[in-house]
PDB file of all heavy atoms in Angstrom:
ATOM      1  N   VAL A   1       0.839  -1.198  -0.016  1.00 43.00           N
ATOM      2  CA  VAL A   1      -0.021   0.013   0.074  1.00 43.00           C
ATOM      3  C   VAL A   1       0.877   1.219   0.020  1.00 43.00           C
ATOM      4  O   VAL A   1       0.695   2.161  -0.754  1.00 43.00           O
ATOM      5  CB  VAL A   1      -0.953   0.039   1.215  1.00 43.00           C
ATOM      6  CG1 VAL A   1      -1.606   1.346   1.383  1.00 43.00           C
ATOM      7  CG2 VAL A   1      -1.974  -1.097   1.123  1.00 43.00           C
ATOM      8  N   LEU A   2       1.917   1.240   0.901  1.00 44.00           N
ATOM      9  CA  LEU A   2       2.792   2.461   0.984  1.00 44.00           C
ATOM     10  C   LEU A   2       3.504   2.662  -0.312  1.00 44.00           C
ATOM     11  O   LEU A   2       3.690   3.751  -0.744  1.00 44.00           O
ATOM     12  CB  LEU A   2       3.685   2.247   2.142  1.00 44.00           C
ATOM     13  CG  LEU A   2       3.078   2.241   3.539  1.00 44.00           C
ATOM     14  CD1 LEU A   2       4.075   1.891   4.626  1.00 44.00           C
ATOM     15  CD2 LEU A   2       2.367   3.549   3.875  1.00 44.00           C
ATOM     16  N   ALA A   3       3.947   1.571  -0.901  1.00 46.00           N
ATOM     17  CA  ALA A   3       4.727   1.682  -2.136  1.00 46.00           C
ATOM     18  C   ALA A   3       3.854   2.108  -3.340  1.00 46.00           C
ATOM     19  O   ALA A   3       4.348   2.557  -4.268  1.00 46.00           O
ATOM     20  CB  ALA A   3       5.460   0.346  -2.440  1.00 46.00           C
ATOM     21  N   SER A   4       2.589   1.916  -3.219  1.00 46.00           N
ATOM     22  CA  SER A   4       1.651   2.171  -4.261  1.00 46.00           C
ATOM     23  C   SER A   4       1.179   3.598  -4.400  1.00 46.00           C
ATOM     24  O   SER A   4       0.418   3.967  -5.295  1.00 46.00           O
ATOM     25  CB  SER A   4       0.467   1.225  -4.253  1.00 46.00           C
ATOM     26  OG  SER A   4      -0.340   1.595  -3.111  1.00 46.00           O
ATOM     27  N   GLY A   5       1.554   4.432  -3.449  1.00 49.00           N
ATOM     28  CA  GLY A   5       1.197   5.787  -3.483  1.00 49.00           C
ATOM     29  C   GLY A   5      -0.335   5.991  -3.032  1.00 49.00           C
ATOM     30  O   GLY A   5      -0.691   5.643  -1.928  1.00 49.00           O
ATOM     31  N   CYS A   6      -1.134   6.477  -3.919  1.00 44.00           N
ATOM     32  CA  CYS A   6      -2.440   6.899  -3.583  1.00 44.00           C
ATOM     33  C   CYS A   6      -3.535   5.847  -3.864  1.00 44.00           C
ATOM     34  O   CYS A   6      -4.759   6.104  -3.768  1.00 44.00           O
ATOM     35  CB  CYS A   6      -2.865   8.196  -4.302  1.00 44.00           C
ATOM     36  SG  CYS A   6      -1.851   9.642  -3.833  1.00 44.00           S
ATOM     37  N   LYS A   7      -3.143   4.649  -4.277  1.00 47.00           N
ATOM     38  CA  LYS A   7      -4.187   3.599  -4.620  1.00 47.00           C
ATOM     39  C   LYS A   7      -4.910   3.239  -3.233  1.00 47.00           C
ATOM     40  O   LYS A   7      -4.286   3.195  -2.251  1.00 47.00           O
ATOM     41  CB  LYS A   7      -3.490   2.351  -5.282  1.00 47.00           C
ATOM     42  CG  LYS A   7      -2.912   2.667  -6.591  1.00 47.00           C
ATOM     43  CD  LYS A   7      -2.323   1.363  -7.148  1.00 47.00           C
ATOM     44  CE  LYS A   7      -1.701   1.673  -8.535  1.00 47.00           C
ATOM     45  NZ  LYS A   7      -1.124   0.453  -9.074  1.00 47.00           N
ATOM     46  N   GLY A   8      -6.154   2.878  -3.456  1.00 52.00           N
ATOM     47  CA  GLY A   8      -6.940   2.439  -2.289  1.00 52.00           C
ATOM     48  C   GLY A   8      -6.346   1.173  -1.733  1.00 52.00           C
ATOM     49  O   GLY A   8      -5.976   0.273  -2.405  1.00 52.00           O
ATOM     50  N   PRO A   9      -6.295   1.037  -0.364  1.00 48.00           N
ATOM     51  CA  PRO A   9      -5.690  -0.181   0.296  1.00 48.00           C
ATOM     52  C   PRO A   9      -6.520  -1.391  -0.002  1.00 48.00           C
ATOM     53  O   PRO A   9      -5.907  -2.479  -0.150  1.00 48.00           O
ATOM     54  CB  PRO A   9      -5.750   0.218   1.772  1.00 48.00           C
ATOM     55  CG  PRO A   9      -6.737   1.327   1.861  1.00 48.00           C
ATOM     56  CD  PRO A   9      -6.710   2.084   0.586  1.00 48.00           C
ATOM     57  N   GLU A  10      -7.831  -1.255  -0.196  1.00 50.00           N
ATOM     58  CA  GLU A  10      -8.584  -2.499  -0.522  1.00 50.00           C
ATOM     59  C   GLU A  10      -8.238  -3.104  -1.867  1.00 50.00           C
ATOM     60  O   GLU A  10      -8.130  -4.324  -1.918  1.00 50.00           O
ATOM     61  CB  GLU A  10     -10.134  -2.102  -0.566  1.00 50.00           C
ATOM     62  CG  GLU A  10     -10.681  -1.651   0.818  1.00 50.00           C
ATOM     63  CD  GLU A  10     -10.409  -0.151   1.043  1.00 50.00           C
ATOM     64  OE1 GLU A  10      -9.832   0.477   0.159  1.00 50.00           O
ATOM     65  OE2 GLU A  10     -10.881   0.358   2.083  1.00 50.00           O
ATOM     66  N   LYS A  11      -7.988  -2.224  -2.832  1.00 52.00           N
ATOM     67  CA  LYS A  11      -7.603  -2.755  -4.115  1.00 52.00           C
ATOM     68  C   LYS A  11      -6.234  -3.408  -4.131  1.00 52.00           C
ATOM     69  O   LYS A  11      -5.984  -4.421  -4.716  1.00 52.00           O
ATOM     70  CB  LYS A  11      -7.631  -1.684  -5.153  1.00 52.00           C
ATOM     71  CG  LYS A  11      -9.046  -1.125  -5.480  1.00 52.00           C
ATOM     72  CD  LYS A  11      -8.984  -0.077  -6.551  1.00 52.00           C
ATOM     73  CE  LYS A  11     -10.350   0.438  -6.974  1.00 52.00           C
ATOM     74  NZ  LYS A  11     -10.397   1.446  -7.979  1.00 52.00           N
ATOM     75  N   VAL A  12      -5.303  -2.801  -3.392  1.00 46.00           N
ATOM     76  CA  VAL A  12      -3.932  -3.326  -3.307  1.00 46.00           C
ATOM     77  C   VAL A  12      -3.914  -4.649  -2.612  1.00 46.00           C
ATOM     78  O   VAL A  12      -3.201  -5.640  -3.059  1.00 46.00           O
ATOM     79  CB  VAL A  12      -3.050  -2.325  -2.624  1.00 46.00           C
ATOM     80  CG1 VAL A  12      -1.602  -2.948  -2.404  1.00 46.00           C
ATOM     81  CG2 VAL A  12      -2.890  -1.065  -3.466  1.00 46.00           C
ATOM     82  N   VAL A  13      -4.622  -4.804  -1.492  1.00 47.00           N
ATOM     83  CA  VAL A  13      -4.677  -6.014  -0.731  1.00 47.00           C
ATOM     84  C   VAL A  13      -5.343  -7.075  -1.572  1.00 47.00           C
ATOM     85  O   VAL A  13      -4.890  -8.266  -1.540  1.00 47.00           O
ATOM     86  CB  VAL A  13      -5.396  -5.824   0.637  1.00 47.00           C
ATOM     87  CG1 VAL A  13      -5.618  -7.232   1.311  1.00 47.00           C
ATOM     88  CG2 VAL A  13      -4.567  -4.940   1.523  1.00 47.00           C
ATOM     89  N   SER A  14      -6.352  -6.711  -2.217  1.00 51.00           N
ATOM     90  CA  SER A  14      -7.105  -7.634  -3.072  1.00 51.00           C
ATOM     91  C   SER A  14      -6.146  -8.206  -4.197  1.00 51.00           C
ATOM     92  O   SER A  14      -6.136  -9.420  -4.488  1.00 51.00           O
ATOM     93  CB  SER A  14      -8.252  -7.009  -3.732  1.00 51.00           C
ATOM     94  OG  SER A  14      -8.936  -7.932  -4.607  1.00 51.00           O
ATOM     95  N   ALA A  15      -5.397  -7.300  -4.756  1.00 52.00           N
ATOM     96  CA  ALA A  15      -4.426  -7.778  -5.816  1.00 52.00           C
ATOM     97  C   ALA A  15      -3.363  -8.643  -5.221  1.00 52.00           C
ATOM     98  O   ALA A  15      -2.896  -9.633  -5.840  1.00 52.00           O
ATOM     99  CB  ALA A  15      -3.748  -6.479  -6.486  1.00 52.00           C
ATOM    100  N   TYR A  16      -2.893  -8.291  -3.988  1.00 45.00           N
ATOM    101  CA  TYR A  16      -1.845  -9.150  -3.296  1.00 45.00           C
ATOM    102  C   TYR A  16      -2.399 -10.597  -3.033  1.00 45.00           C
ATOM    103  O   TYR A  16      -1.748 -11.524  -3.285  1.00 45.00           O
ATOM    104  CB  TYR A  16      -1.487  -8.530  -2.001  1.00 45.00           C
ATOM    105  CG  TYR A  16      -0.412  -9.295  -1.222  1.00 45.00           C
ATOM    106  CD1 TYR A  16       0.879  -9.143  -1.518  1.00 45.00           C
ATOM    107  CD2 TYR A  16      -0.813 -10.151  -0.229  1.00 45.00           C
ATOM    108  CE1 TYR A  16       1.862  -9.796  -0.772  1.00 45.00           C
ATOM    109  CE2 TYR A  16       0.124 -10.829   0.493  1.00 45.00           C
ATOM    110  CZ  TYR A  16       1.465 -10.680   0.160  1.00 45.00           C
ATOM    111  OH  TYR A  16       2.437 -11.400   0.878  1.00 45.00           O
ATOM    112  N   GLU A  17      -3.614 -10.628  -2.551  1.00 45.00           N
ATOM    113  CA  GLU A  17      -4.229 -11.933  -2.241  1.00 45.00           C
ATOM    114  C   GLU A  17      -4.448 -12.718  -3.538  1.00 45.00           C
ATOM    115  O   GLU A  17      -4.091 -14.016  -3.566  1.00 45.00           O
ATOM    116  CB  GLU A  17      -5.546 -11.783  -1.588  1.00 45.00           C
ATOM    117  CG  GLU A  17      -5.457 -11.221  -0.174  1.00 45.00           C
ATOM    118  CD  GLU A  17      -6.741 -11.039   0.492  1.00 45.00           C
ATOM    119  OE1 GLU A  17      -7.792 -11.055  -0.278  1.00 45.00           O
ATOM    120  OE2 GLU A  17      -6.867 -10.906   1.704  1.00 45.00           O
ATOM    121  N   GLU A  18      -4.912 -12.136  -4.581  1.00 49.00           N
ATOM    122  CA  GLU A  18      -5.120 -12.812  -5.861  1.00 49.00           C
ATOM    123  C   GLU A  18      -3.769 -13.348  -6.454  1.00 49.00           C
ATOM    124  O   GLU A  18      -3.739 -14.456  -6.981  1.00 49.00           O
ATOM    125  CB  GLU A  18      -5.751 -11.825  -6.886  1.00 49.00           C
ATOM    126  CG  GLU A  18      -6.115 -12.519  -8.157  1.00 49.00           C
ATOM    127  CD  GLU A  18      -6.907 -11.585  -9.086  1.00 49.00           C
ATOM    128  OE1 GLU A  18      -7.803 -10.799  -8.528  1.00 49.00           O
ATOM    129  OE2 GLU A  18      -6.680 -11.538 -10.287  1.00 49.00           O
ATOM    130  N   GLU A  19      -2.737 -12.573  -6.316  1.00 50.00           N
ATOM    131  CA  GLU A  19      -1.441 -12.965  -6.834  1.00 50.00           C
ATOM    132  C   GLU A  19      -0.803 -14.121  -6.006  1.00 50.00           C
ATOM    133  O   GLU A  19      -0.158 -15.147  -6.500  1.00 50.00           O
ATOM    134  CB  GLU A  19      -0.443 -11.859  -6.877  1.00 50.00           C
ATOM    135  CG  GLU A  19       0.976 -12.192  -7.333  1.00 50.00           C
ATOM    136  CD  GLU A  19       1.934 -11.030  -7.251  1.00 50.00           C
ATOM    137  OE1 GLU A  19       1.487  -9.906  -6.918  1.00 50.00           O
ATOM    138  OE2 GLU A  19       3.100 -11.281  -7.499  1.00 50.00           O
ATOM    139  N   ASN A  20      -0.923 -14.058  -4.682  1.00 46.00           N
ATOM    140  CA  ASN A  20      -0.233 -15.008  -3.817  1.00 46.00           C
ATOM    141  C   ASN A  20      -1.046 -16.202  -3.342  1.00 46.00           C
ATOM    142  O   ASN A  20      -0.452 -17.199  -3.031  1.00 46.00           O
ATOM    143  CB  ASN A  20       0.363 -14.240  -2.587  1.00 46.00           C
ATOM    144  CG  ASN A  20       1.456 -13.382  -3.024  1.00 46.00           C
ATOM    145  OD1 ASN A  20       2.593 -13.788  -3.120  1.00 46.00           O
ATOM    146  ND2 ASN A  20       1.176 -12.078  -3.197  1.00 46.00           N
ATOM    147  N   TYR A  21      -2.371 -16.074  -3.269  1.00 42.00           N
ATOM    148  CA  TYR A  21      -3.190 -17.226  -2.694  1.00 42.00           C
ATOM    149  C   TYR A  21      -3.580 -18.187  -3.680  1.00 42.00           C
ATOM    150  O   TYR A  21      -4.032 -19.249  -3.368  1.00 42.00           O
ATOM    151  CB  TYR A  21      -4.397 -16.691  -1.926  1.00 42.00           C
ATOM    152  CG  TYR A  21      -4.057 -15.921  -0.676  1.00 42.00           C
ATOM    153  CD1 TYR A  21      -5.147 -15.284  -0.034  1.00 42.00           C
ATOM    154  CD2 TYR A  21      -2.808 -15.938  -0.131  1.00 42.00           C
ATOM    155  CE1 TYR A  21      -4.840 -14.630   1.149  1.00 42.00           C
ATOM    156  CE2 TYR A  21      -2.528 -15.226   1.078  1.00 42.00           C
ATOM    157  CZ  TYR A  21      -3.547 -14.558   1.661  1.00 42.00           C
ATOM    158  OH  TYR A  21      -3.296 -13.819   2.785  1.00 42.00           O
ATOM    159  N   ASN A  22      -3.478 -17.911  -5.007  1.00 43.00           N
ATOM    160  CA  ASN A  22      -3.923 -18.856  -6.002  1.00 43.00           C
ATOM    161  C   ASN A  22      -2.814 -19.636  -6.642  1.00 43.00           C
ATOM    162  O   ASN A  22      -2.681 -19.762  -7.833  1.00 43.00           O
ATOM    163  CB  ASN A  22      -4.631 -18.080  -7.061  1.00 43.00           C
ATOM    164  CG  ASN A  22      -5.928 -17.420  -6.575  1.00 43.00           C
ATOM    165  OD1 ASN A  22      -6.581 -18.070  -5.730  1.00 43.00           O
ATOM    166  ND2 ASN A  22      -6.323 -16.291  -7.071  1.00 43.00           N
ATOM    167  N   LYS A  23      -1.853 -20.052  -5.772  1.00 40.00           N
ATOM    168  CA  LYS A  23      -0.746 -20.837  -6.209  1.00 40.00           C
ATOM    169  C   LYS A  23      -0.768 -22.255  -5.703  1.00 40.00           C
ATOM    170  O   LYS A  23      -1.303 -22.495  -4.624  1.00 40.00           O
ATOM    171  CB  LYS A  23       0.575 -20.142  -5.837  1.00 40.00           C
ATOM    172  CG  LYS A  23       0.839 -18.808  -6.568  1.00 40.00           C
ATOM    173  CD  LYS A  23       2.121 -18.210  -6.074  1.00 40.00           C
ATOM    174  CE  LYS A  23       2.429 -16.849  -6.747  1.00 40.00           C
ATOM    175  NZ  LYS A  23       3.693 -16.279  -6.262  1.00 40.00           N
ATOM    176  N   ASP A  24      -0.100 -23.147  -6.395  1.00 38.00           N
ATOM    177  CA  ASP A  24      -0.077 -24.589  -6.021  1.00 38.00           C
ATOM    178  C   ASP A  24       0.547 -24.758  -4.681  1.00 38.00           C
ATOM    179  O   ASP A  24       0.286 -25.767  -4.007  1.00 38.00           O
ATOM    180  CB  ASP A  24       0.641 -25.456  -7.054  1.00 38.00           C
ATOM    181  CG  ASP A  24      -0.244 -25.671  -8.338  1.00 38.00           C
ATOM    182  OD1 ASP A  24      -1.423 -25.411  -8.163  1.00 38.00           O
ATOM    183  OD2 ASP A  24       0.371 -25.964  -9.333  1.00 38.00           O
ATOM    184  N   ILE A  25       1.390 -23.820  -4.231  1.00 36.00           N
ATOM    185  CA  ILE A  25       2.050 -24.031  -2.978  1.00 36.00           C
ATOM    186  C   ILE A  25       0.998 -24.061  -1.849  1.00 36.00           C
ATOM    187  O   ILE A  25       1.217 -24.587  -0.796  1.00 36.00           O
ATOM    188  CB  ILE A  25       3.095 -22.924  -2.694  1.00 36.00           C
ATOM    189  CG1 ILE A  25       3.903 -23.201  -1.414  1.00 36.00           C
ATOM    190  CG2 ILE A  25       2.423 -21.512  -2.578  1.00 36.00           C
ATOM    191  CD1 ILE A  25       5.091 -22.230  -1.278  1.00 36.00           C
ATOM    192  N   TYR A  26      -0.145 -23.383  -2.060  1.00 37.00           N
ATOM    193  CA  TYR A  26      -1.185 -23.354  -1.061  1.00 37.00           C
ATOM    194  C   TYR A  26      -2.102 -24.594  -1.146  1.00 37.00           C
ATOM    195  O   TYR A  26      -2.602 -24.974  -0.195  1.00 37.00           O
ATOM    196  CB  TYR A  26      -1.999 -22.078  -1.135  1.00 37.00           C
ATOM    197  CG  TYR A  26      -1.204 -20.882  -0.727  1.00 37.00           C
ATOM    198  CD1 TYR A  26      -0.689 -20.040  -1.687  1.00 37.00           C
ATOM    199  CD2 TYR A  26      -1.050 -20.575   0.594  1.00 37.00           C
ATOM    200  CE1 TYR A  26       0.115 -18.981  -1.283  1.00 37.00           C
ATOM    201  CE2 TYR A  26      -0.350 -19.393   0.975  1.00 37.00           C
ATOM    202  CZ  TYR A  26       0.264 -18.628   0.022  1.00 37.00           C
ATOM    203  OH  TYR A  26       0.948 -17.552   0.360  1.00 37.00           O
ATOM    204  N   ARG A  27      -2.283 -25.074  -2.395  1.00 37.00           N
ATOM    205  CA  ARG A  27      -3.208 -26.160  -2.608  1.00 37.00           C
ATOM    206  C   ARG A  27      -2.464 -27.483  -2.458  1.00 37.00           C
ATOM    207  O   ARG A  27      -2.828 -28.375  -1.623  1.00 37.00           O
ATOM    208  CB  ARG A  27      -3.838 -26.082  -4.048  1.00 37.00           C
ATOM    209  CG  ARG A  27      -4.803 -24.986  -4.174  1.00 37.00           C
ATOM    210  CD  ARG A  27      -5.570 -25.074  -5.427  1.00 37.00           C
ATOM    211  NE  ARG A  27      -4.707 -25.077  -6.626  1.00 37.00           N
ATOM    212  CZ  ARG A  27      -4.484 -23.929  -7.264  1.00 37.00           C
ATOM    213  NH1 ARG A  27      -4.872 -22.805  -6.864  1.00 37.00           N
ATOM    214  NH2 ARG A  27      -3.737 -24.006  -8.411  1.00 37.00           N
ATOM    215  N   GLY A  28      -1.320 -27.720  -3.225  1.00 41.00           N
ATOM    216  CA  GLY A  28      -0.542 -28.894  -3.018  1.00 41.00           C
ATOM    217  C   GLY A  28      -1.251 -30.085  -3.706  1.00 41.00           C
ATOM    218  O   GLY A  28      -2.444 -30.141  -3.796  1.00 41.00           O
ATOM    219  N   PRO A  29      -0.468 -31.058  -4.275  1.00 46.00           N
ATOM    220  CA  PRO A  29      -1.065 -32.194  -4.862  1.00 46.00           C
ATOM    221  C   PRO A  29      -1.625 -33.188  -3.762  1.00 46.00           C
ATOM    222  O   PRO A  29      -1.129 -33.265  -2.640  1.00 46.00           O
ATOM    223  CB  PRO A  29       0.084 -32.883  -5.580  1.00 46.00           C
ATOM    224  CG  PRO A  29       1.266 -32.456  -4.808  1.00 46.00           C
ATOM    225  CD  PRO A  29       0.994 -31.080  -4.307  1.00 46.00           C
ATOM    226  N   LEU A  30      -2.698 -33.812  -4.043  1.00 48.00           N
ATOM    227  CA  LEU A  30      -3.316 -34.783  -3.066  1.00 48.00           C
ATOM    228  C   LEU A  30      -2.543 -36.081  -3.235  1.00 48.00           C
ATOM    229  O   LEU A  30      -2.248 -36.568  -4.323  1.00 48.00           O
ATOM    230  CB  LEU A  30      -4.789 -34.967  -3.444  1.00 48.00           C
ATOM    231  CG  LEU A  30      -5.681 -33.772  -3.265  1.00 48.00           C
ATOM    232  CD1 LEU A  30      -7.126 -34.067  -3.707  1.00 48.00           C
ATOM    233  CD2 LEU A  30      -5.711 -33.305  -1.828  1.00 48.00           C
ATOM    234  N   PHE A  31      -2.271 -36.730  -2.047  1.00 50.00           N
ATOM    235  CA  PHE A  31      -1.456 -37.970  -2.092  1.00 50.00           C
ATOM    236  C   PHE A  31      -2.175 -39.051  -2.873  1.00 50.00           C
ATOM    237  O   PHE A  31      -1.502 -39.782  -3.582  1.00 50.00           O
ATOM    238  CB  PHE A  31      -1.255 -38.465  -0.591  1.00 50.00           C
ATOM    239  CG  PHE A  31      -0.547 -39.798  -0.527  1.00 50.00           C
ATOM    240  CD1 PHE A  31       0.844 -39.856  -0.571  1.00 50.00           C
ATOM    241  CD2 PHE A  31      -1.225 -40.939  -0.490  1.00 50.00           C
ATOM    242  CE1 PHE A  31       1.517 -41.032  -0.496  1.00 50.00           C
ATOM    243  CE2 PHE A  31      -0.610 -42.138  -0.455  1.00 50.00           C
ATOM    244  CZ  PHE A  31       0.831 -42.208  -0.452  1.00 50.00           C
TER     245      PHE A  31
END
């Protein structure tokens, strides 16, 4: 948020979650 200047914090956090939570490292393969 701080690095983004005047962008709304809700949009920045949403973008962060979208980028980082939708990766296989969170899901992982089922045994």
Side-chain angles (χ1 to χ4, degrees):
V1 171
L2 293 174
S4 67
C6 297
K7 292 181 181 179
E10 294 85 358
K11 290 183 179 180
V12 175
V13 172
S14 176
Y16 179 85
E17 290 178 345
E18 186 173 317
E19 178 184 353
N20 288 279
Y21 290 171
N22 294 325
K23 292 182 178 179
D24 284 343
I25 189 171
Y26 292 99
R27 292 193 299 268
L30 296 174
F31 177 84

